Amino acid sequence: MNSAKIAPKPAKLTSNMRLKHRNSFGLESIADLAYEITSADQLSALMEGLSDTKLAWRTLGGGSNVILPDTLPGATLLINILGQEVIKLDEQNTWLAVGAGVNWHELVAWTLEHHLPGLENLALIPGTVGAAPIQNIGAYGVEVGEYIDSIEAFDSMANAFVAFPQEACRFAYRDSYFKQNPNRFIVTKVVFKIPKAWQARLQYADLAKQFPDQQSAPNAKQIFDAVCTIRSKKLPDPKVIGNAGSFFQNPIVGNDQYDLLIKQFPGLVSYPDGPKKRKLAAGWLIDQCGFKGKRVGPVGVYENQALVLVNHGGGTSVDILRLAKQIQDEVLKQFGVQLEIEPNIL
């Protein structure tokens, strides 16, 4: 019997690929060279070749959290590694391994169908599983980093695969070790550790309001449905109008600055963020500055949620970033608070 290892099928290459339908902003961007990665085994040879030729490269998953320029020189790696399976369980936890190319929302739905609650507050967040830990996506009081056991990634500097336990990922608010080291690691697999002991997490008012008559806490599926309802009302469908969801991070300020702000602006919306900090609602700040529903040429601010910038059609990254700068400048002027852009600018 021949036990020789079969070489992986090379990644599919497409030249001058149009990426309008591979980014949720719907930006007309063209990749010089696009490689579709369907297996982690394809990366070693491909990355070695890119290193030899000194070609610039970047990864692209669902394209839901990026702002693409008109052209992407060099190589664009389209991560499409699929599959999920339970790899371990004990009395307290279930470990679930998931390919980086799996759609995030579809994974959340799958976990509930298989009686693995915990991720339901993160329903309907666009993008892929591989991108989720980079940004440490979060919503309604839950961050994905809380449920990650380990991450497998390809280290382009070492040209080798590495495994990161949860503590090495350095998760923070919309941040991680991977985000701090851009264009070095390619996430290929995420292992989730989902506790069997579950309880509803309803600390955010918008979510709690969905269950006013509940005598007991809602179940995970009810929370999943409620989150989908809330997000659908607040956020536009990228298939209808281009957007990347929340465009700015909610700024975090110290209690002293918060005390000054709340005296001047009694309606200020905020949430506790530790014993000495408050997280401000960026959408409220932007709304107070008069940007909600404002249109500037082909781009604008969504009429139902000031935190979302939209592409009405024909907009470019320059248009979006120009509007974002106007918003940042005005919020800083009125509130003394600096807004940080959430999507990655390629």
Side-chain angles (χ1 to χ4, degrees):
M1 180 177 178
N2 186 358
S3 60
K5 186 176 179 180
I6 300 174
K9 185 178 180 181
K12 180 182 177 182
L13 169 63
T14 303
S15 299
N16 298 318
M17 175 179 276
R18 294 184 176 275
L19 300 174
K20 180 178 181 179
H21 299 295
R22 300 196 72 132
N23 76 98
S24 62
F25 254 123
L27 300 174
E28 297 276 7
S29 182
I30 297 177
D32 286 353
L33 303 170
Y35 292 88
E36 184 177 14
I37 308 299
T38 57
S39 170
D41 293 340
Q42 297 170 329
L43 286 171
S44 293
L46 174 59
M47 296 305 295
E48 188 173 349
L50 295 178
S51 178
D52 290 343
T53 57
K54 293 182 170 52
L55 273 181
W57 64 272
R58 81 286 304 163
T59 60
L60 185 64
S64 62
N65 198 48
V66 295
I67 305 170
L68 300 182
D70 292 343
T71 59
L72 285 170
T76 300
L77 279 54
L78 307 175
I79 306 301
N80 194 28
I81 302 171
L82 304 179
Q84 63 264 339
E85 65 172 333
V86 173
I87 58 172
K88 177 184 173 184
L89 47 82
D90 62 20
E91 293 182 359
Q92 288 79 38
N93 303 289
T94 300
W95 285 261
L96 175 67
V98 186
V102 171
N103 177 276
W104 174 259
H105 175 69
E106 291 177 5
L107 172 70
V108 176
W110 185 93
T111 59
L112 295 183
E113 290 168 4
H114 290 77
H115 311 292
L116 297 171
L119 302 177
E120 57 280 344
N121 289 49
L122 305 178
L124 215 60
I125 295 179
T128 59
V129 168
I134 297 173
Q135 188 72 7
N136 190 20
I137 60 171
Y140 302 106
V142 176
E143 292 183 339
V144 71
E146 301 171 47
Y147 291 90
I148 289 177
D149 177 75
S150 61
I151 290 175
E152 178 189 275
F154 184 83
D155 183 348
S156 65
M157 287 183 64
N159 198 35
F161 285 94
V162 290
F164 289 86
Q166 199 270 357
E167 60 271 16
C169 297
R170 300 182 190 174
F171 291 124
Y173 176 61
R174 301 298 181 270
D175 198 12
S176 70
Y177 181 71
F178 309 101
K179 187 175 181 179
Q180 296 163 11
N181 291 272
N183 228 38
R184 175 176 175 180
F185 300 103
I186 302 171
V187 175
T188 56
K189 180 169 66 178
V190 179
V191 177
F192 296 90
K193 182 181 179 181
I194 302 177
K196 292 183 178 179
W198 175 89
Q199 66 180 61
R201 298 176 66 172
L202 303 173
Q203 59 263 54
Y204 267 60
D206 283 353
L207 187 54
K209 288 176 184 176
Q210 298 295 309
F211 307 99
D213 302 320
Q214 291 279 343
Q215 296 299 314
S216 59
N219 62 39
K221 181 58 166 62
Q222 289 172 320
I223 294 175
F224 172 90
D225 291 339
V227 169
C228 290
T229 297
I230 296 169
R231 292 185 70 89
S232 296
K233 288 180 180 178
K234 285 187 175 183
L235 304 175
D237 185 345
K239 296 177 183 176
V240 178
I241 182 169
N243 73 95
S246 299
F247 194 86
F248 297 101
Q249 297 179 13
N250 289 323
I252 297 172
V253 300
N255 283 348
D256 290 345
Q257 185 177 2
Y258 169 77
D259 290 340
L260 293 174
L261 285 170
I262 198 66
K263 288 178 183 177
Q264 189 175 359
F265 307 99
L268 177 67
V269 179
S270 70
Y271 310 93
D273 191 75
K276 297 182 180 180
K277 296 181 291 183
R278 299 284 296 191
K279 184 182 293 183
L280 309 182
W284 187 89
L285 300 174
I286 298 166
D287 193 2
Q288 298 305 301
C289 292
F291 283 99
K292 190 175 182 179
K294 183 176 181 179
R295 182 165 178 167
V296 181
V299 301
V301 179
Y302 188 48
E303 59 186 3
N304 294 334
Q305 172 54 269
L307 196 54
V308 178
L309 270 57
V310 296
N311 176 16
H312 293 286
T316 66
S317 59
V318 173
D319 297 321
I320 293 167
L321 294 175
R322 184 183 296 122
L323 174 58
K325 183 66 165 56
Q326 292 178 17
I327 293 171
Q328 289 173 310
D329 289 347
E330 191 60 31
V331 169
L332 183 62
K333 177 182 175 182
Q334 291 200 30
F335 298 99
V337 174
Q338 179 66 52
L339 294 182
E340 300 295 336
I341 292 174
E342 189 164 313
N344 297 315
I345 304 170
L346 298 188

